[in-house]
Each structure stands twice: as structure tokens, then as C-alpha cells.
């Protein structure tokens, strides 16, 4: 993979983030990759191959929304770490089956393993109080309501 291709893909993502106001998901995904490397080296290698052979060429080639492609990559990483299902949490806190990127939804991956915390896939630009409460309980494991500015 060429540096030019990587640079083009990064610029496309940066432009999409600036236009949408969305949060950059790459920090979440780097964390997922580190976890995956430790617990399942074979899946880690598959994720790196996907990044090199699918994600970067797709984003650099201008096919679709770069942010959507990155979020799908994040969902793939979460599934590799913990089989389960991905859901979107709307502004009211209601869960919906994941059917693609929704910029207003909080996207979480719910592992099949009982008691496992949800894995963050994507945050909306601004979380509603219901989304924040869902995030606090399912991702952070907090048991009490928190005061948020």
C-alpha cells in the first residue's frame, strides 16, 4: 500500500469529519486493534489485511462516505473481538438492529458473552441524555446516573 493512498484516505476522512462534525473513531479502533492483537493474533492479522486491502483503497477511491467505511471497520473489529450483535441507540434510548451508519445514533456492539460490556463502535456528534445513560451503563459499566454538563 502506497503512502499516497494512505494520505488520500486520511484526507478524505478528515474532510468528512470536518463536514459532519462527527468524532474521529480511529482512537476507539486503535484500542480494539491492541486488544485483538493480544487475544486473537489471527483475527488481528485479518483486520490489518482488511485495513490495507479494503478500507484504505475504498476510502481513497471516493466510494461512499469515508466515515461510514471507518464505522463499518470498527463494527468488524468489535465482532472479531467478541461475537455478538451491533445495535444503534436512538435519541430516546431505544435500541434498533444495526442497518448501517446513522449519524444521530450511538452504535454499540453487544457481545454474546453474558456480563461482557458493550463495545463502542461510534458516537453521535451530540449524545442525548438517554444515549449518555446507555453508554455509561453498557460501555463504562457505571451503575449510577452521572451528572453531565
Amino acid at each position: 500500500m502506497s503512502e499516497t493512498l494512505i494520505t488520500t484516505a486520511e484526507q478524505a476522512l478528515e474532510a468528512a469529519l470536518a463536514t459532519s462534525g462527527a468524532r474521529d473513531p480511529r482512537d476507539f479502533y486503535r484500542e480494539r486493534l491492541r486488544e485483538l492483537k493480544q487475544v486473537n493474533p489471527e483475527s488481528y492479522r485479518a483486520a490489518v489485511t482488511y485495513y490495507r486491502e479494503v478500507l484504505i483503497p475504498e476510502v481513497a477511491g471516493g466510494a461512499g462516505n469515508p466515515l461510514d467505511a471507518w464505522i463499518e471497520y470498527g463494527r468488524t473489529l468489535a465482532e472479531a473481538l467478541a461475537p455478538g450483535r451491533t445495535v444503534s441507540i436512538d435519541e430516546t434510548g431505544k435500541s434498533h438492529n444495526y442497518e448501517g451508519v446513522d449519524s444521530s445514533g450511538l452504535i454499540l456492539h453487544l457481545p454474546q458473552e453474558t456480563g461482557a460490556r458493550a463495545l463502542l463502535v461510534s458516537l453521535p456528534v451530540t449524545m442525548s441524555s438517554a444515549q449518555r445513560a446507555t453508554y455509561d451503563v453498557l460501555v463504562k459499566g457505571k451503575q449510577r446516573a452521572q451528572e453531565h454538563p
Side-chain angles (χ1 to χ4, degrees):
M1 171 173 32
S2 75
E3 285 299 317
T4 303
L5 196 62
I6 293 170
T7 300
T8 302
E10 286 178 355
Q11 290 171 343
L13 177 61
E14 293 295 332
L17 291 170
T19 301
S20 68
R23 299 175 193 205
D24 190 337
R26 291 177 289 186
D27 287 338
F28 311 138
Y29 303 160
R30 285 183 193 107
E31 183 180 323
R32 297 283 96 76
L33 277 168
R34 283 190 292 272
E35 292 174 49
L36 195 55
K37 188 175 186 177
Q38 289 179 354
V39 299
N40 190 335
E42 184 176 320
S43 290
Y44 169 79
R45 285 189 293 278
V48 170
T49 298
Y50 181 95
Y51 170 85
R52 290 179 179 153
E53 295 179 6
V54 177
L55 179 64
I56 294 300
E58 180 181 321
V59 172
N65 182 336
L67 190 54
D68 293 353
W70 271 95
I71 290 171
E72 184 58 27
Y73 180 60
R75 194 195 64 72
T76 301
L77 291 173
E79 180 67 33
L81 263 172
R85 66 188 181 99
T86 304
V87 298
S88 180
I89 310 298
D90 68 21
E91 294 90 349
T92 68
K94 184 173 177 164
S95 170
H96 304 274
N97 287 329
Y98 177 78
E99 294 180 4
V101 178
D102 169 12
S103 61
S104 66
L106 167 64
I107 302 172
L108 302 176
H109 183 75
L110 307 175
Q112 290 173 342
E113 182 183 326
T114 303
R117 288 190 184 158
L119 299 173
L120 177 63
V121 175
S122 179
L123 290 169
V125 173
T126 305
M127 280 198 279
S128 69
S129 59
Q131 288 170 323
R132 170 59 68 184
T134 301
Y135 175 85
D136 285 347
V137 171
L138 296 181
V139 177
K140 294 293 186 181
K142 295 180 180 175
Q143 299 300 309
R144 292 188 214 209
Q146 301 291 316
E147 293 282 328
H148 294 284

